[in-house]
Amino acid sequence: MIGALALTSCGEESPTTLIEPDDFEAAMGEAHDAGSGIVGMPPCRALREFNQGLNLAASGKVTGTTIGIEGGGSVFAVVFSPTATPPSASEVVTDVPGHVEDCAKEIAGDPSRKVEELSELPPGAAGFHGEENNSTSEYAYTVTSDDRLLVVGTEYATGDSAPVSMERLLKLASDRAPDVSAD
């Protein structure tokens, strides 16, 4: 099961997920479980290790959804349990710009890769836009209303338009996060 169960107005139980295929015009097929944590491939070792470290620290205490997009690529959202991000979700978000800076230093001089902070995110969120060869990735990190780490992202072919803005993706997942269990 992808998420926690929520009661509908008819009294029936239905799964609640952070994102759903109907949220995106270009969605292909069904949503898939991203319960192993943050998915995708940032453009450098520094950001890959950052995401991998978060996934390892969580020890499976995450709930997530990934959805394929027409033309290739995907959209994902993952929420961690409150105890899965030592020392805290807000400190993880605060650390994101430093990891983006480390990534930029790592790939400096490589014309096939680039990374930059996302500047048009809501207050309290941090993220990046990265490119490597023919793949573009965008990730955003924020703290949910119940103090959990929420990570959303998309990967798509470089030169194509993003299938969704990070602002919209954060809003969708943030609004649903309180109804999704990460344990």
Side-chain angles (χ1 to χ4, degrees):
M1 177 168 56
I2 294 175
L5 296 178
L7 295 178
T8 64
S9 60
C10 297
E12 297 176 13
E13 294 182 356
S14 64
T16 300
T17 61
L18 294 165
I19 55 175
E20 300 174 6
D22 290 345
D23 294 331
F24 312 101
E25 287 181 26
M28 278 186 24
E30 298 179 11
H32 299 281
D33 183 23
S36 61
I38 304 167
V39 299
M41 191 63 66
C44 63
R45 186 184 72 253
L47 288 168
R48 289 175 189 155
E49 289 177 356
F50 174 60
N51 286 346
Q52 182 182 31
L54 291 171
N55 289 341
L56 290 172
S59 300
K61 294 181 181 177
V62 299
T63 298
T65 309
T66 185
I67 298 169
I69 300 296
E70 290 176 10
S74 62
V75 175
F76 75 88
V78 177
V79 67
F80 289 73
S81 77
T83 60
T85 50
S88 73
S90 62
E91 288 174 313
V92 169
V93 174
T94 299
D95 289 346
V96 170
H99 292 289
V100 173
E101 185 178 309
D102 291 344
C103 180
K105 289 176 187 174
E106 176 187 329
I107 64 176
D110 183 345
S112 69
R113 299 189 291 171
K114 70 179 186 177
V115 68
E116 62 188 4
E117 271 189 75
L118 288 173
S119 59
E120 297 184 20
L121 295 175
F128 65 89
H129 171 98
E131 294 180 16
E132 182 173 23
N133 298 317
N134 297 322
S135 181
T136 297
S137 56
E138 295 181 345
Y139 290 66
Y141 306 72
T142 195
V143 180
T144 65
S145 61
D146 55 353
D147 291 324
R148 295 184 291 162
L149 178 65
L150 173 66
V151 183
V152 300
T154 184
E155 293 197 345
Y156 54 96
T158 300
D160 288 352
S161 297
V164 62
S165 72
M166 286 296 97
E167 299 87 356
R168 179 169 180 261
L169 189 53
L170 273 171
K171 175 137 179 54
L172 285 169
S174 292
D175 287 351
R176 293 178 183 151
D179 297 326
V180 176
S181 171
D183 289 324

